[in-house]
Amino acid sequence: MLDVITIGEVLIDFTPSGRTARGNEQFECNPGGAPANVAAALSRLGARATLISKVGDDRFGSLLHDTLMNGGIDVSALSFTDEANTTLAFVHLDDNGDRSFSFYRKPGADTYLRTQDVPFDRIENC
C-alpha cells in the first residue's frame, strides 16, 4: 500500500555550477521535476511514495530511474520510451538569483505518458 502517488514530469535540471577559464557558463546535471521532488521529499520523511511518469530510453532516463529507486521511491509506474528523449531543463539565474528555464522537449519523453501507463488500481488503493 502506498501513502502518496505523484504524477507528472521527471527530468534533468542542468543547474549553473560556475564558469570555465574562458568565461563560459558550466552546468551540473541534477534530477528534477516538481512531482519527482515531492515524491523524494515525502519518501525522506518516511512516506511510501511512487511516481507515475515517463522517461526516455537513454542515459538520462536511467539516471532518473536509479536516483528515484535509490531514494526509496517505488519506480514500478515509471516507464521508458524510445519515441523521445528524456526532457532536459537548463536553469538560468539572473543577478538577483531569480530562476528562469530553457526546456529541451520537442517533444520530451514525459509528454508521452498515456492513460494506459497509469496504474489506476494502485491509485484506488492509495
Side-chain angles (χ1 to χ4, degrees):
M1 174 83 60
L2 293 165
D3 297 314
V4 176
I5 296 174
T6 61
I7 185 169
E9 69 183 10
V10 59
L11 50 77
I12 297 293
D13 282 325
F14 282 96
T15 55
S17 65
R19 295 200 172 271
T20 67
R22 296 177 127 182
N24 295 321
E25 193 168 19
Q26 293 180 318
F27 292 91
E28 180 179 350
C29 170
N30 293 289
N37 291 342
V38 168
L42 291 171
S43 180
R44 283 192 296 275
L45 292 172
R48 293 169 306 226
T50 193
L51 171 69
I52 301 169
S53 190
K54 190 165 280 202
V55 295
D57 191 10
D58 52 37
R59 286 188 68 184
F60 293 125
S62 295
L63 171 68
L64 291 168
H65 174 273
D66 293 348
T67 300
L68 291 167
M69 190 174 58
N70 291 336
I73 299 164
D74 178 341
V75 294
S76 62
L78 180 69
S79 55
F80 290 84
T81 182
D82 59 5
E83 295 179 277
N85 292 324
T86 300
T87 298
L88 309 178
F90 285 81
V91 181
H92 309 283
L93 301 175
D94 67 15
D95 293 337
N96 296 322
D98 291 324
R99 301 175 304 164
S100 63
F101 300 88
S102 298
F103 289 94
Y104 287 83
R105 75 160 47 112
K106 293 188 179 190
D110 56 314
T111 67
Y112 280 88
L113 187 66
R114 301 290 182 251
T115 304
Q116 58 268 26
D117 298 318
V118 178
F120 289 103
D121 58 324
R122 296 192 75 197
I123 293 171
E124 291 172 5
N125 293 315
C126 182

